[in-house]
Every structure is written in C-alpha cells, then in structure tokens.
Amino acid sequence: MGATMKAMRLHRPGEPLRLEELPVPEPGPGEVLLEVRACAVCRTDLHIVDGEFTGGKLPIVPGHEIVGRVAGRGPGAALFAPGERVGVPWLASACGRCRYCREGRENLCAEARFTGFHRDGGFAQYAVADERFCYAIPDAYGDEEAAPLLCAGFIGYRALRMAGDAPRLGLYGFGAAGHIVAQIAIHQGREVFAFTRPGDAAAQAFAMRLGCAWAGDSTGPAPQPLDAALVFAPVGALVPEALGAVAPGGRVVCAGIHMSDIPSFPYARLKGERSVRSVANLTRRDGDELLEVAPRAGVRPATRRYRLADANAALADLRRGAIEGAAVLVP
Ligand SMILES: [Zn+2]
Ligand SMILES: [Zn+2]
C-alpha cells in the first residue's frame, strides 16, 4: 500500500467537491511531486465546477495556482532541487512541436493541457507537474501570497501587455486578477479606473485603497475616455459597455477563460478603430515576466485563507463576489 493524501475532487459538474483519500501521485518522467503549501482558487475553477467550462477529465482535482515544495522527482527531472519552492500554473503542458509552440505561443497549442482540468491540480496535499512548465517562486512572497500570482497574476499580466501603452486603463472586475494588475499598472505610471459590480462599495473602496484613480459601477459611464479596458468579469454584456468607455483607437481585452454571450451592439461602439480581443491562457514568458515584475512593482496580493476541506465554501464565496483579492486553500 502506497501513501495516501487528502484531496477535494469533482465527480460531476454542478455537484460540490468531495473530500477524499487518494493515493499520493507518482511523478513520471520529467515531473516533480510537490507537497502543496497553498493553492489559490480561480474563477476558472468555478466555471469547471459549475459546468460552464467542459471537456476536461472527470473526476478531477481542481486547482491551478499551486505553490509547493519538491517532495520527489521522476526520471530525468532535474530543474528543481528537493525541497525547493515551485509554482504550478494553468498551462500544464504543450506539444512543443506545432507552429504555435515553436513561436513561443504555446498558449494556443491545440494539444495544450491544463492543470486542474486535464490533469489533477492543487486542491490536495500533493500534486505532480511537468517541471518544464513550473516556476521558482520569488523569496519576496510567502506561500499563500504567491499562489494567486500563478493565474490571476500571469493571465492578468498577459492581458495588460495586450493593452499596449494605454495610460488610462479600465479594469472591469476587481477580484484576484484585477487587484494584482492594478498594482502593476499603477507602478507603471498608468491611471487605473476600477469598474465593479453595481453597488459593490467594498470592492470600490478596496480599489481606491490600492491607489486607483477612480472606482465605480460597471454599468455606469467612465469619468473620462479610457485608452484600454481589461474585462476580467466573465460577463459578455460588459464588452459593449467597455467599448463605450474607450476613446477612438482604444482596445478592449477579454481576459477570462470563459465569458457569457456578448449581446449585439451598434457598430458605432466599435467605430474609430476600437478593437476587441481575447486572451487565451498563458505562455511561459508571461509567467517569467510577471514573477520578475511583481516583486519590483511591490505587488502584494490580498488573500483570504481557507482550509482544504472548505474548498466548497471558498468557491461559494467567489461565486457571490464576497472575496477581497483571492481565496487560497492551505492544506
Ligand atoms: Zn485561473
Ligand atoms: Zn504545440
């Protein structure tokens, strides 16, 4: 009999995760076994649990913002030393051969596999990962604080890059990604405008505390024309709103893995060379850059800690928009 671990596992979308006793996974060739120290809860986990984002493995242990210590190495794994602190992101692997992979755009690889979706993730005491897609965690961050950097930070940073120079930046949705991106953008000297759920005074106050120039309701007008807007909330209706808020030439970047349908809107909203684009997953370059930029910019992720067994409560709080910053499971 091998060792066992506790894990929170999804058997069917729409059902709560179940606390289970599973075998500790064995690292395969090129893989590391991590003792999980913290795993943040992402909106994509919620989409998977709620059945809005399908096609992965079932049953599945969700969680793709893992901070762990190397507890074992599979054959040939040599990038990280035993005991080293390692981060595991959403992109678990890519083919390495296709056009996208060869161009450093592995986020678009048709054979890309994702942590906590195609392979078991970090809502557990142990997890295995392909070491080529893992990151060393900067010393500036504790385990719990580092976890949200691994998706909210990475994909948020990719979205920020897509916004270009954009001195006046709107953020639609001020959760885990929004509050990290805001700190980087402010450090870069941009003016940040935070749009939250209508009437969410707590999120608006949080945005102002972090140094945003303005915070208000996502359904209302912007106080001045924006150069770009990043839409983190998975709400398609915000796309025409954001287009209405950007100046001619402005960009609207949809940064979520999943979004509800975008309602039709008059062409006048897009006119003037405004554009809309999406962001898919992350490349390893996004992760490397974010982990270099975040400590320099003094990014401090706000977290709320939950026990592993309370993963369902964390998901419920995220669904209600009741978390300031990011929910993090600590086994
Ligand atoms: Zn995520
Ligand atoms: Zn590929």
Side-chain angles (χ1 to χ4, degrees), residues 171-180 182 192 194-196 203-204 206-208 210 212 232 323-325:
L171 302 178
Y172 285 77
F174 204 79
H179 94 288
I180 292 171
V192 177
F195 297 79
T196 74
Q204 291 170 12
F206 179 45
M208 294 306 287
L210 288 179
C212 291
F232 292 114
I323 295 168
E324 190 169 283

Side-chain angles (χ1 to χ4, degrees), residues 10 17-18 20 93 100 102 141 147 162 191-192 211 223 247 257 272 277 317 320 326:
L10 178 72
L17 306 180
R18 296 185 208 163
E20 295 179 313
S93 65
Y100 293 117
R102 291 200 314 270
Y141 295 105
M162 299 302 170
E191 265 187 299
V192 177
I257 296 285
R277 72 171 295 165
D317 288 347
R320 287 189 296 122

Side-chain angles (χ1 to χ4, degrees), residues 42 44 64-65 151:
C42 175
T44 302
H64 57 268
E65 303 182 86
C151 183

Side-chain angles (χ1 to χ4, degrees), residues 94-101 106 109-112:
C95 82
R97 297 177 307 274
C98 73
R99 174 166 71 94
Y100 293 117
C101 282
E106 62 269 26
C109 175
E111 290 176 44

Side-chain angles (χ1 to χ4, degrees), residues 139-230:
D139 292 337
Y141 295 105
D143 298 334
E144 188 179 324
E145 205 181 21
L149 297 175
L150 292 159
C151 183
F154 287 5
I155 296 182
Y157 181 73
R158 182 172 182 80
L160 181 62
R161 277 211 287 125
M162 299 302 170
D165 291 338
R168 281 199 196 121
L169 182 73
L171 302 178
Y172 285 77
F174 204 79
H179 94 288
I180 292 171
V181 169
Q183 294 176 59
I184 297 170
I186 291 165
H187 175 79
Q188 292 171 335
R190 307 180 200 238
E191 265 187 299
V192 177
F193 299 76
F195 297 79
T196 74
R197 292 185 203 212
D200 191 345
Q204 291 170 12
F206 179 45
M208 294 306 287
R209 278 206 309 281
L210 288 179
C212 291
W214 175 90
D217 294 352
S218 59
T219 48
Q224 39 193 320
L226 306 174
D227 301 303
L230 312 183

